[in-house]
Amino acid sequence: TAVEKDPQLAQLLADNIAANGRADNIRALEADMTCLPPVLAGSFDQVVANPPFHQPGGTRASDRRRALAHQGDGPSLADWVAAGLHALKPKGRLSFICRTDRIDEVLAALWGKAGEIAQFPLWPARSAPAIRTIITARKGVAGGSALLPGMVLHNLDGSLTNEA
């Protein structure tokens, strides 16, 4: 199940699923991730999300879709974590990408609800601070945390690294 809130992007999602011959395996659902239908509660083994992760009070993009993607329209990162956990089966895995300067919000929202938390930093270039981090956690598991090696995305000339 792939969830998209924006109606036009949800249609594009459905069209891409069909064009790639995956309609028997993937369904597109036009919905708000933070307000999924109750029937989906506790039904997923894994939830992967790219929530709006820029600070809500920052300068909004003039393009409506970009503003929605970057800063959202109300739900906080904690709301996204809660929605992801709500959709998961027990011991299911939640995976988010977020700005590295906001991982504390995600970790706080996971506290006491998920464990085996792993952080996978993404560096734009060698010797540059990580700007994004992929965080994974398992619902209802008490295991410890790990900081993984991560990945450098770009070479000095701007090209993608072999790993990326």
Side-chain angles (χ1 to χ4, degrees):
T1 301
V3 178
E4 174 54 54
K5 182 176 183 174
D6 182 287
Q8 285 182 303
L9 294 178
Q11 184 59 56
L12 180 62
L13 172 64
D15 293 345
N16 283 332
I17 291 168
N20 284 284
R22 303 297 294 173
D24 290 341
N25 306 93
I26 304 171
R27 68 177 165 184
L29 177 62
E30 183 184 326
D32 183 333
M33 169 69 184
T34 61
C35 301
L36 290 176
V39 70
L40 295 178
S43 61
F44 297 99
D45 294 310
Q46 182 161 16
V47 170
V48 178
N50 181 9
F53 47 66
H54 290 285
Q55 292 289 351
T59 303
R60 290 186 71 82
S62 58
D63 178 79
R64 181 186 63 80
R65 281 196 178 90
R66 183 172 288 262
L68 184 62
H70 287 185
Q71 291 164 306
D73 59 356
S76 66
L77 281 175
D79 294 332
W80 276 76
V81 169
L85 291 171
H86 182 71
L88 283 172
K89 294 176 183 176
K91 299 184 182 181
R93 189 170 305 278
L94 178 66
S95 301
F96 274 9
I97 186 167
C98 69
R99 285 175 52 115
T100 300
D101 62 356
R102 296 192 70 193
I103 59 176
D104 58 335
E105 294 173 60
V106 175
L107 295 175
L110 290 169
W111 182 257
K113 299 175 187 100
E116 293 183 9
I117 298 169
Q119 298 177 48
F120 186 83
L122 300 171
W123 294 280
R126 295 199 192 293
S127 301
I131 57 168
R132 304 282 187 267
T133 299
I134 298 170
I135 299 175
T136 65
R138 290 187 59 210
K139 178 180 177 176
V141 173
S145 298
L147 180 59
L148 303 175
M151 181 188 317
V152 176
L153 300 175
H154 298 98
N155 294 308
L156 293 177
D157 65 1
S159 64
L160 289 174
T161 62
N162 289 335
E163 296 84 11

